[in-house]
Amino acid sequence: MLLDWSLAVAPLLLIILLMVRFRWGAARAGPAGWLAAVGIAALRFRAGISVLAVAHVRAAFQALDVLLIVWAAFLLYRVADEAGAIRILGKALPHLTADRGMQALLIGWAFASFLQGVGGFGVPVVVTAPILLGLGFAPLTAVMVPSIGHAWSVTFGSLASSFQALIAASGLPGQDLAPESAALLAAAGVVCGWMVARIADGPAGARRLVCPVLILGVVMGAVQYWLATRGLWNIAGFGGGLAGLAVGLFVARAYRGPKQDAAPVGLGTVAQALSGYAALVAITLVVQLVPSVRSALSGIALHLDLPATETGRGYAIAAATAGPIVLLRHAGAVLLYASAVAYGLYRWAGSYSAGALTRIVTGTARGVLPSTIGIVSMVGLASVMSQSGMTDVLARGLAQSVGALFPVVAPWIGALGAFISGSNTSSNLLFVPLQQRTAELLHLRVTRILAAQTAGGAIGSVVAPTKIVVGVGSAGGGVSEGEVLRHLLVYVMGLVAFVSVVVWVWLWAGAR
């Protein structure tokens, strides 16, 4: 049993070693872990060609479901960024208040959460850190504030690519997963806001800004929850951040501070910048809520019938059907429609210079390539481990070793996966089968354990080495990666511990 468990965990440990010790990216470490999983599955767990073939077909289908969103989400971000929309919003926000703590809440929490909702991929820190630097924040603070500020919004950010990965890897409906995931993340969001105030303005500032933190935190968390639980999870993170910005406009009036010298950005300019995202909201609502449109776009759906498999050691998986992926109303398709409409709106407004379309397309292709390789290999690894019985061996070992403490451990597993892979999406694809199987063996409520997985992954992703490097670069090199990591780890570990306590109370004090 010990040998089986050691070999089953080896591909995951290999990825950790390559990424942490040798600083490989997910695009390199993922394929290495996948190759190790295939070899161990074939040689030790006696997964034949048919078992491995089914595993890879399943993986390809799951990866497609996630990648359609990842590609289209990044395209929409590039359409808006090329038009200067992100830059305009970044210039407008500092004029609302000169209070340092309130600036950090607006820019490093609400705006960073909005940016995570519409873009992700490290965008919140890259965009907001230079703004905070320009306002006089120290480089370390300028990187830490948005890193912590957007952590709660990662799962439903990037137009819910991480949440789609949760759905794909677990095989459970989004309607079942959304309520508990959104509720847990909303609670974490309030703590993120308090941490942002403390990082920016010290303990006294955190106490002084308790009311703004509670108001913005409750509003953002409630809006994200409301959208996610109504099937609109692809705009839930975006909607929560946007609601925080809207409410922040009024809350900031009580914390204006000294008057700003520079001329404020006009309301019409801000509205123009937001027009592309308004198109996304409108299209999403029409596709999801208008029955005739929803029906018209439901004609093309991909299903995948997978045969039953059994390894040479007797581990069997029953036949199943994967899907459907409803292509024309898939979240990726909706994002593609929104990208086209947004491009038309920005072009009509004269926001593009010559060659904009070429830059958008090439920038998108370069931006999504590393994440595509990482996602495909991580999905392949997880599928091989699941189909061959490796995940079951790991789950049984976890269940026997931690037992009743597993709810406390679950968020840390998600955080570890995101730390090593740089992505909550990859963490969900990699560890959801393990978390799900362990919860089943311990007779725990699976949806709550998976909520803990994705919440931990969201928080852990902000200290991934790749994201820290990008964040430090955006701060002009005024701080080292090691210094940022040391300071961030204190807050990240506190956040994950908070999630662990909430999950523990949730599962054991209430109905299991």
Side-chain angles (χ1 to χ4, degrees):
M1 177 63 181
L2 179 60
L3 177 60
D4 284 346
W5 198 93
S6 300
L7 289 173
V9 80
L12 305 179
L13 294 179
L14 176 62
I15 291 176
I16 294 173
L17 176 67
L18 293 176
M19 297 190 73
V20 176
R21 175 66 179 84
F22 296 100
R23 299 186 182 278
W24 284 22
R28 295 178 65 195
W34 164 76
L35 281 173
V38 170
I40 293 170
L43 297 176
R44 176 63 184 179
F45 290 84
R46 297 172 63 189
I49 293 177
S50 61
V51 173
L52 294 176
V54 170
H56 285 92
V57 171
R58 182 195 296 272
F61 193 85
Q62 290 176 338
L64 176 64
D65 196 14
V66 175
L67 288 173
L68 288 174
I69 299 175
V70 171
W71 295 333
F74 197 77
L75 174 63
L76 178 60
Y77 169 74
R78 288 291 300 124
V79 166
D81 189 48
E82 184 67 31
I86 304 301
R87 185 179 65 254
I88 289 169
L89 294 174
K91 288 174 61 179
L93 287 172
H95 293 283
L96 296 173
T97 176
D99 182 283
R100 291 176 64 80
M102 197 65 211
Q103 284 178 338
L105 291 178
L106 277 176
I107 297 168
W109 187 28
F111 187 41
S113 297
F114 167 82
L115 291 172
Q116 179 62 31
V118 300
F121 307 100
V123 167
V125 181
V126 170
V127 172
T128 59
I131 298 172
L132 293 170
L133 274 176
L135 292 171
F137 287 89
L140 177 61
T141 303
V143 175
M144 288 182 64
V145 161
S147 296
I148 293 296
H150 83 279
W152 75 282
S153 64
V154 171
T155 290
F156 291 101
S158 303
L159 286 305
S161 58
S162 296
F163 187 69
Q164 193 67 32
L166 192 69
I167 296 171
S170 67
L172 298 175
Q175 289 83 354
D176 292 349
L177 293 166
E180 288 159 330
S181 296
L184 189 57
L185 289 163
V190 176
V191 180
C192 286
W194 178 83
M195 288 181 170
V196 163
R198 194 180 192 286
I199 294 167
D201 211 11
R207 290 192 296 270
R208 180 172 56 84
L209 295 167
V210 165
C211 284
V213 166
L214 288 175
I215 293 170
L216 267 66
V218 169
V219 167
M220 289 195 293
V223 170
Q224 178 170 280
Y225 180 89
W226 189 87
L227 290 169
T229 54
R230 279 151 183 80
L232 301 171
W233 46 75
N234 61 313
I235 61 169
F238 156 75
L242 186 60
L245 285 175
V247 172
L249 297 176
F250 297 96
V251 175
R253 293 174 182 269
Y255 299 85
R256 281 190 180 277
K259 186 178 180 180
Q260 295 282 328
D261 294 329
V265 180
L267 185 60
T269 303
V270 173
Q272 179 182 312
L274 287 172
S275 62
Y277 297 113
L280 169 63
V281 173
I283 292 171
T284 299
L285 292 175
V286 168
V287 170
Q288 294 288 348
L289 303 180
V290 178
S292 58
V293 175
R294 187 176 177 85
S295 176
L297 296 177
S298 300
I300 303 176
L302 300 180
H303 297 80
L304 187 64
D305 294 323
L306 298 166
T309 62
E310 185 172 350
T311 68
R313 292 176 55 173
Y315 183 77
I317 291 184
T321 299
I325 298 176
V326 186
L327 287 179
L328 297 182
R329 62 176 176 84
H330 189 273
V334 172
L335 288 166
L336 190 61
Y337 307 149
S339 298
V341 173
Y343 177 81
L345 289 172
Y346 291 134
R347 188 174 183 83
W348 176 76
S351 301
Y352 291 129
S353 58
L357 183 59
T358 299
R359 290 192 295 273
I360 289 169
V361 173
T362 56
T364 300
R366 286 196 301 267
V368 301
L369 182 59
S371 58
T372 297
I373 297 173
I375 287 171
V376 168
S377 58
M378 296 290 184
V379 176
L381 181 153
S383 186
V384 167
M385 290 181 63
S386 178
Q387 203 80 25
S388 65
M390 295 166 67
T391 298
D392 189 67
V393 167
L394 285 178
R396 291 181 184 279
L398 269 176
Q400 291 172 7
S401 59
V402 300
L405 291 177
F406 182 69
V408 176
V409 175
W412 294 94
I413 294 174
L416 175 65
F419 172 77
I420 63 176
S421 68
S423 163
N424 189 27
T425 299
S426 295
S427 178
N428 285 345
L429 293 170
L430 197 59
F431 286 123
V432 160
L434 171 63
Q435 300 259 37
Q436 186 174 6
R437 182 59 182 147
T438 306
E440 290 169 350
L441 291 171
L442 291 171
H443 306 291
L444 298 171
R445 184 161 172 165
V446 170
T447 51
R448 289 186 181 173
I449 293 298
L450 296 187
Q453 153 67 34
T454 196
I459 296 165
S461 69
V462 306
V463 288
T466 50
K467 287 192 176 180
I468 288 179
V469 169
V470 170
V472 168
S474 69
V479 64
S480 70
E481 288 90 348
E483 186 178 6
V484 171
L485 179 59
R486 284 196 303 273
H487 284 81
L488 271 180
L489 274 176
V490 176
Y491 289 93
V492 165
M493 291 175 71
L495 266 174
V496 179
F498 168 78
V499 170
S500 293
V501 171
V502 172
V503 172
W504 173 268
V505 172
W506 208 359
L507 278 166
W508 296 105
R512 291 165 59 185

